[in-house]
Amino acid sequence: VRLARQRRHGSLLLLVLGIGAGFLAAVHDYLALQGRPLLTDLYLMPFVTPLVLGAMSVFLVSRMVAATGAAEALAAELEQRVAQRTQQLSLANLARARFLSAASHDLRQPVLTIGLLASMLPDGDGPAPAQPTVVARLQAAVASMQSLLDGLLDLSRLDPLVVQARLQAVPLHPMLDAIAHHEQAAATAQGLRLRLRPTALAVQADPVLLEQALRNLVSNALRYTSHGGILVAARALRSGAVRLQVWDTGIGIADADQARVFDEFVQLGNPGRDRRLGLGLGLAIAQRCALAMGSAVHVRSVPGRGSCFSIDLPGFSSGLLPTAPLPAVDEQPLVGLTLWVLDDDQTLREALVMRLQQWGAKVVALDSLAALQDALAEAAQTPAARPALFLTDQRMADGSGARAVQQAKASLGADLPCLLVTGDPDASDTHALVLAGVPLLTKPFSLPDLLRALKQALRG
């Protein structure tokens, strides 16, 4: 900008000098036509020429000095930016090191626990320990590890520079009511009161990201509140925005720590990384969700009295929507259905088959695409063997799940319900299937996630 300004000033000076020279030339020609003494005869040129050359010299020198100063200023500014960037990279590397250290610790703990408990299961050579106790602790260790993996996957998917929020009008009351209903059991178990203030407001947001952010804020409030309660509310601002708030009467956060609580694996008052107190990912995930929607999570807190976390989003006018009643629990939701399960991992395949059978399904287990071909050939001759749903893993030794889905639909009909299970939802062939309407279930998944995906696939 400074260089452009110097060029502009220089151009104006040259224009003035040019006009002056043109004026002198015009006077010279006029005197010649009138037969009067010329400027050269009046001895003006010896004075005019040095004056013009001197002015041009002064201009060129001043321009060179200005350009040199601008270059030095730009160099100093660039050096300052490089220093700032270097400091930012150093801080990022330090944060990454802390992140990896905490993640490594929290992953090693449940893995070690699972290994020790698995070694205690009866193998036929010695006395069996109390199986229910071992199984319960195994389940707790698996749940802990799955919670951490879910958190890490959420963080990796929620990079604000990558994730694309799908903004739409979102009525708040149904979402807040669902969150309050989901967390009510935990609040009651802790002797806390979880309240929801009814609202007719709606916001412009991504419903998935917004619900994830609010769930994490409510869970965080429950974790750090020992008495009193939590209030979830929304209010309209004069600017037209809507402020979503989660109030608690918990331990509060000191001013010096209020920015730090949004970093990954940061847990105030838990230096020993006790997993019973959480993982330190909830607020980081909530913040990334808000950033992806063009907002941010803000906190106001008084130590010992409680905190208020808030998100501001553009508002819409909306009426209250009725909430659907919760469905009754069905112990065997898949009874009478035949499912084909294709997975080349024996341990995972067997566990999945056992779970589906407990839900009442008849399961045909397949370990390869070659086994799938044999089953398809048999089903072509015996229509009764046709499955109600085909579930397949994506990565296998002799092919992909995308290829398996294509073969199954080609043999049994394009209307065959299919469900693709994968740990890499960003693969190109996976995207192609999703665009074709095949539901996708991402590993690791919980049992409610699995059942929900199966029902979605069956509905088509």
Side-chain angles (χ1 to χ4, degrees):
V1 173
R2 286 192 293 269
L3 288 176
R5 189 178 297 115
Q6 293 292 335
R7 293 192 188 98
R8 187 162 55 250
H9 291 167
S11 300
L12 290 175
L13 181 57
L14 287 176
L15 178 61
V16 171
L17 292 175
I19 293 174
F23 176 75
L24 290 176
V27 171
H28 185 276
D29 293 341
Y30 174 78
L31 292 176
L33 291 174
Q34 296 294 326
R36 298 181 181 182
L38 303 177
L39 291 176
T40 52
D41 297 336
L42 295 175
Y43 303 102
L44 292 178
M45 287 301 294
F47 297 99
V48 172
T49 301
L51 180 63
V52 173
L53 294 177
M56 292 184 65
S57 300
V58 171
F59 162 70
L60 292 175
V61 171
S62 64
R63 185 174 180 182
M64 182 180 67
V65 172
T68 303
E72 291 176 352
L74 288 174
E77 183 179 354
L78 179 61
E79 184 177 354
Q80 183 181 6
R81 290 184 179 180
V82 170
Q84 291 176 347
R85 183 59 177 167
T86 302
Q87 183 180 11
Q88 291 173 354
L89 290 174
S90 299
L91 293 175
N93 287 332
L94 182 60
R96 185 180 298 109
R98 289 197 302 264
F99 176 87
L100 292 175
S101 175
S104 175
H105 173 273
D106 285 6
L107 276 173
R108 290 175 188 272
Q109 294 292 91
V111 170
L112 177 58
T113 303
I114 291 172
L116 292 174
L117 292 173
S119 67
M120 297 172 60
L121 293 175
D123 55 7
D125 296 331
Q131 255 194 7
T133 302
V134 175
V135 171
R137 292 177 180 174
L138 270 173
Q139 290 173 339
V142 170
S144 174
M145 186 163 60
Q146 181 171 339
S147 176
L148 176 58
L149 287 174
D150 288 343
L152 292 175
L153 289 173
D154 287 339
L155 281 175
S156 67
R157 290 196 295 262
L158 290 172
D159 188 342
L161 298 178
V162 177
V163 67
Q164 296 293 326
R166 299 177 180 177
L167 303 180
Q168 56 186 276
V170 180
L172 290 176
H173 186 77
M175 178 179 292
L176 298 182
D177 188 62
I179 293 173
H181 182 87
H182 182 269
E183 300 292 344
Q184 189 62 57
T188 303
Q190 295 177 232
L192 301 175
R193 185 182 179 190
L194 176 58
R195 293 185 296 140
L196 165 66
R197 182 176 296 167
T199 178
L201 297 172
V203 295
Q204 181 183 10
D206 184 306
V208 176
L209 294 177
L210 179 58
E211 182 172 357
Q212 188 170 17
L214 291 175
R215 283 185 184 275
N216 280 281
L217 292 179
V218 173
S219 297
N220 181 76
L222 288 171
R223 183 172 295 115
Y224 292 99
T225 302
S226 58
H227 65 278
I230 290 91
L231 171 66
V232 184
R235 64 186 182 91
L237 305 179
R238 291 183 178 179
S239 63
V242 173
R243 177 164 295 170
L244 291 155
Q245 296 176 312
V246 178
W247 298 80
D248 66 64
T249 57
I251 61 175
I253 307 170
D255 291 344
D257 295 324
Q258 289 183 9
R260 199 164 62 91
V261 295
F262 295 105
D263 294 338
E264 298 85 357
F265 289 106
V266 170
Q267 285 183 292
L268 305 180
N270 187 20
R273 306 289 310 152
D274 185 350
R275 294 190 306 280
R276 292 172 298 179
L277 301 179
L279 300 170
L281 296 176
L283 292 180
I285 291 172
Q287 185 69 282
R288 291 200 183 190
C289 290
L291 291 174
M293 295 184 291
S295 183
V297 180
H298 300 283
V299 58
R300 291 184 292 119
S301 184
V302 178
R305 298 184 60 182
S307 305
C308 174
F309 290 87
S310 62
I311 304 175
D312 291 354
L313 293 167
F316 282 96
S317 60
S318 172
L320 284 174
L321 298 180
T323 56
L326 293 176
V329 177
D330 187 358
E331 296 294 337
Q332 288 193 315
L334 304 179
V335 65
L337 299 178
T338 300
L339 274 61
W340 287 7
V341 175
L342 172 59
D343 197 316
D344 61 351
D345 186 314
Q346 180 179 354
T347 303
L348 178 57
R349 184 179 65 253
E350 291 178 351
L352 192 56
V353 167
M354 290 172 59
R355 168 49 60 185
L356 296 176
Q357 288 175 340
Q358 287 185 353
W359 281 340
K362 178 183 177 182
V363 183
V364 176
L366 307 169
D367 60 2
S368 64
L369 264 71
L372 173 63
Q373 289 295 331
D374 294 339
L376 290 174
E378 181 180 351
Q381 298 178 357
T382 309
R386 186 182 190 272
L389 181 141
F390 175 50
L391 184 151
T392 177
D393 189 28
Q394 169 66 342
R395 291 188 178 182
M396 290 172 287
D398 62 342
S400 68
R403 180 182 171 190
V405 169
Q406 292 170 355
Q407 292 178 352
K409 285 182 172 289
S411 177
L412 301 179
D415 61 339
L416 174 68
C418 296
L419 176 61
L420 183 66
V421 179
T422 179
D424 184 14
D426 296 324
S428 58
D429 51 355
T430 301
H431 275 298
L433 282 181
V434 172
L435 292 176
V438 177
L440 182 69
L441 181 61
T442 304
K443 300 176 185 177
F445 49 81
S446 64
L447 293 182
D449 291 336
L450 172 60
L451 184 57
R452 190 179 306 112
L454 289 170
K455 290 183 176 180
Q456 177 188 354
L458 288 167
R459 286 195 302 267

